[in-house]
Each structure stands twice: as C-alpha cells, then as structure tokens.
Amino acid sequence: MAKPLETLAFDEAGRFQLLVDAVVDYAIYMLDLEGRVVSWNSGGVRLKGYSAEEIIGQPFSRFYTPEDIAAGLPVRALRTARETGRFHAEGWRVRKDGTRFWASVVIDAVRDERGKLIGFAKITRDVTERQLAHQAIVDSERRYRRLIEAVVDYAIFQLDATGLVASWNTGAQRIKGYSQGEIIGKHFSAFYTDEERAQHVPQRALHTASVTGKYEAEGWRVRKDGSKFWASVVIDAIRDDQGAVIGFAKITRDATERYEAQNKLKEAQERLAASQKMEAVGQLSGGIAHDFNNLLMIVIGNLETAQHQNAKAGQNPALTRALANAMRGAQRAAALTSRLLAFSRRQPLDPKPIDVNKFLASTADFIQRSLGESIQAETVGAPGLWYIEADPNQLESALVNLAINARDAMPTGGKLTIEGTNVFADEDYSRVNPEIATGQYVAICVTDTGTGMPREIVDRAFEPFFTTKELGQGTGLGLSQVYGFVKQSGGHVKIYSEVGQGTTVKIYLPRLHGRVTEDDEEPDLIPVGAEESESILVVEDDPDVRTYLADVLRSLNYRVTAVANVQAAEEVIAQPERKIDLLLTDIVMPGGNGRELANAAQVKRPGLQVLFMTGYSRNAVVHQGRLDEGVDLLQKPMSQAQLATRVRLALDRRRR
C-alpha cells in the first residue's frame, strides 16, 4: 500500500536532516530574513562551540569579530546574498570560547516555489591551517622582499628567461644608477661594456647558467652614467617544477676597491721582489768587490813600485808601455769595483750640505763637454730650492752617468735638461712606492729627447751589468751606480720612459733640515814624509796587502810594525815601551774588527791616532752608508800617494 504524500515528504526531509547532521567538517545551518539562526548541525557545534539550544534564534553576527561587526560586514553579507543570490568570503570568525579561526563562508539565498526570499543557507568551513600556511608564505615573501630591499651593497634582481630585468632592489639602484622604472623590462646586457657585448658575453653567461645552474665571473661593468666598476657577478638559474628554466637570479657586487687593492698589492709585491733581487745582487757584488779591492791594491801597489824602479833605471820604453797598460787595466778594474760598491750601497759617502741651484750651475759646463756639440744641455734651478745633504762627488758622478746614457740614446742629437724642484712625497705616493718614506725631497730630473725604452728594459735598467749596448760599449754599471748612491743617501730614483718619447730619470734626495755650515778647507799641499821617527802599527790580515803597506810606509821613513790580526795588535799595544803614533788597521778581519781594536787601544793609549782601511763599507765604522763621526777611513784600493797623504794628515792631527 502506497504511503501518503505527506509521509514521503517528511521522510525525505528527515533523511536530509540526517545527512546535514552527519557532516562534521562544515557548519551548515539556516538563517531567517533577519539573519537569526533557525537550524544547526553537528558541524556547527564542532566548529563554533554552540549547541543548538544556545544558538538557534540568535543573530549570526555573533560569529563575527568586533572589527567586522563595527564595519557592517554581516549586514553587507546578507544584502549581497539577497541581491545577487550568493555571498562568498573568507575571514576571521569567533567561537563560543572567544578563540578565532579562519573561515571560508558561503551564504546562499533560499526562495520558495514562487521565488520569494524566505531565508538563507549558510555553510562555514574552518580553513585556518591553510590560511596560516598561506600567511606564512606571504610573510616569508614579504620578509624576503624587505630583506632584498634592505641590501644596499649588492644588486639583487631577477631576469626572465630571455635576460630581461624583472625585479630590482635598492642595492641595484645604488650600484648601477637605474631606478626600477628605468630598467625593468630592459635587457641586462646594458650593464656590460661595448667590447663584451660585441663578444656576446651576456648571452654566454645565461647559457652557462642554464646548462650548469650557475655562472660566476668578475669584470668591468657599466653604470647608467657610463662610469665603470669592477663587478663580482653570480647568476643562478630558476626552474619550475618540471625543471624548465623560467628565469635567473642575479647578484652583483661592486668589488672595485678590492680589485684596486689587489692590483696595488701585486704591484707592491713586484716592487718588493725587485728590491729583494737588487739587494741580493748587491750583497754578492759587494762581497766580490771587497775581495777584488784587496787584490787590486796589491796589483796597483806593485805596479807603482815597478814604475818607480823603471824610472830610476832609465825608463825602458817597452817596459814603460807595458807597465802603463797594466796600470790602466788595474785602474779600470778599481773603477769597476767602485761602481759595484756604489750599487751595493757599500761605498763610504762623505755627505755635505749642497745648494742644488749652485751645484747644477757649476756642473753645467762639465756635463755639456761630456755630451758633445750635437746635444744641447740645459740646467734649470728653482727659487727657494731646498738644501740637501749628499756626497757632492758621488752626485756629480751620478749626473754624468745619466748624461752619458742620455747621449747614447740621442745618436743624431737632441736636448738634455737637468732640473731641480722641491717635492713632497705624501702617503699616497709612498703607498705606491714603498721604498720612499713620506717627507720633503729635492727632485733632480734628468730628461732627454732620445729613443726611449720599453717597459721590460725600464724594469731591468738598474741591474748591474745589464746593458742594451753592444759588447765592449758599456759595462752596464752606470745606472747601477746611480741607484746605489741614491738609495745609500736615503733617497729614491725612478725612470719614466716611452719608446720614441724620450726618458726622464728622477732622483729624490731628502731635504736638509737645520743649520747649514761650511766645511773648513783642507790645505792644498800635504807633506808626505815621516817626522822624528814616527811609528805606525799596521793591522791587516791579507799577507800581500800587509807587506805592500809596510814597504810603502818604510820607504817614506816611517817605523812600521805589521801584524796579521787583532790579537797580535793588542799584544803590541800592551807593551808600554813600544812607541805607536798611528794605528793603521783594516776593519773586517777574522777574530775581531778594527773598530773594537781602535776603541781598546785609545783607552790604553789616549791621543792615539787611528786610520781605518776597508774595501767594504758595511762594517763597524759605516752606518747607513755614512762614516761615524770622528772616523778617518781610507778606501781600498789606494795608490801610494793616497796612502802617504792620508797617513800624514792623520799624524798631523795630533798637533791641532
């Protein structure tokens, strides 16, 4: 028997209510036209915490936050559903206990069979977890954007797959000069130099990043204003879930300061290596010169003796020529060792105050005669040019060496200018040229209009025995001598040259501070013989040199005691009956040095005159290339006339 229609309708409504009540993840309920709750399911109880008895008849605005209620959101929601048939939104809602959850809300208008609005169906879903996850992503992206925007020392931006700029941070604007509006949408090759664009460097960079995932490089990049900076660049490929490249992340850092610092460090290291090389060569050449000076002293001394004997015997012409040739060779060898000592900064200097203006004027004629008629020489002083303290003979020799080098660089004639000027070496100059200390200097600039030199020649110009001249045309020691003298004088020397543009050599010598006094002039004529049986104690470890010295001094009527070392000399000095007027001692000897011997001797014998000898100046009486005050030094090799004169001067000093 069929059920009545009313029963069927009731059963269907009951089943629908059972279905709605079975849904626990959604709050599904009805509102009347005023927005009051008229039905409630178990999902509403679970989501919002109200039982049916507590909430039915209450306005649905109870579920909204006070902020949303004040803004009229519940009213607008019903009005939208009434006017459009549907309202959908997400936002914070409030449970019975006051806690909040993020809700996805749908309100549908409910109408009867005649289309009349009779209420609203409302479905609410708790999507707090999804919202929190989404918010976390949003917050993370926001923090990331803020982080990127806060970075001002790095240009951090994105490129699309073709290399167009897609984002731009503050650091990019600071480093590259473009605002967002100026650069977004432009190709990143705008940052590269014309040369690199012509070589397709930007395209190769993106290709490398696409293939390997990353591209790293350093090089010159161009700012908006056209200026260049040294950039450290990293480009990373950005891929989608399928691994396809969808763009690139690019980070650029301005590394110009580091690049310049590295270059300066490299240059300083190269200069230091060159300086150490020169120092090592100087030590070697100084040692060789010392040994040669002893040998040459024997050779020159005995040649002089042979010449005297030949003169007494009647001047055999063949023997005279042979002795003269031998003497010239020995003197050339002595000059060679002198230059080696100058280069190695072991040449004792006799510095004096020099008025550079007067000095240049006095040397002008001599230098002009050295150059010949085809070269015009000009010396140029300067008002208020400072005094310097240097060995005038060595300074003149240095200028002559430079003039001769300039002459050889001007085979068809030209002009040589020697100019003096005051300069100040500041910290920047000293940083680039660490061999010179900051301070005031007089620069003597020697400039020619010759052929000039390439860089590789300039770098080696001061090396001893290095020469570009043909064999037999030069020793390669001229500039080495200049270098050694200037360095030993506390100065600096530098060459500036270009092929076809001539050469300038600048000598920087320290300004002399303090009062300038004139030296007493020595007498022109010095007696060289012994007076009243004067006695000399000779201390020399080389037996041949010792014999030569004793023979020469005896020939001058001095009484001579010659010993081989400090210990033997001390024994002689300790004998009170021994008369000693002069101690003539070498400085560098095995088992002790001449300075210590002299100090001990003058304690035991007050007033004893001392004359030192050396073939090597880096020793106990020479410091920073200068003789200690009150020290009398005779440089080996010396001629018989030089020996006689200096001995006489030392002995006569007793009477002053």
Side-chain angles (χ1 to χ4, degrees), residues 633-653:
L633 180 66
L634 187 57
Q635 182 73 30
K636 297 177 182 178
M638 79 278 293
S639 67
Q640 293 181 10
Q642 289 172 325
L643 174 62
T645 300
R646 296 298 297 278
V647 166
R648 186 70 261 154
L649 281 171
L651 287 167
D652 288 346
R653 201 173 290 121

Side-chain angles (χ1 to χ4, degrees), residues 352-364 367 378-382 385-392 394-403 416-424 429 436 440-448 462 479 482 485-486 489 491-496 503-511:
K352 292 180 172 58
I354 296 176
D355 182 331
V356 179
N357 278 329
K358 291 182 179 179
F359 181 85
L360 293 180
S362 67
T363 58
I367 289 175
E378 181 181 6
T379 56
V380 182
L385 201 58
W386 297 322
Y387 271 74
I388 61 172
E389 188 177 37
D391 188 319
Q394 292 291 335
L395 178 57
E396 183 179 66
S397 178
L399 294 180
V400 170
N401 275 321
L402 294 177
L416 177 74
T417 304
I418 303 177
E419 181 179 5
T421 183
N422 295 332
V423 298
F424 178 75
Y429 186 84
I436 184 172
Q440 296 174 323
Y441 294 84
V442 174
I444 301 177
C445 309
V446 181
T447 302
D448 65 59
F462 291 126
L479 286 177
V482 175
F485 157 68
V486 174
S489 301
H492 181 59
V493 59
K494 196 162 186 180
I495 299 177
Y496 302 86
T503 299
T504 295
V505 180
K506 292 187 177 181
I507 294 175
Y508 299 87
L509 293 171
R511 176 187 181 181

Side-chain angles (χ1 to χ4, degrees), residues 306-307 309-310 315-325:
Q307 286 177 324
Q309 294 299 325
N310 181 47
Q315 291 282 4
N316 182 311
L319 181 58
T320 299
R321 280 195 306 274
L323 290 173
N325 290 336

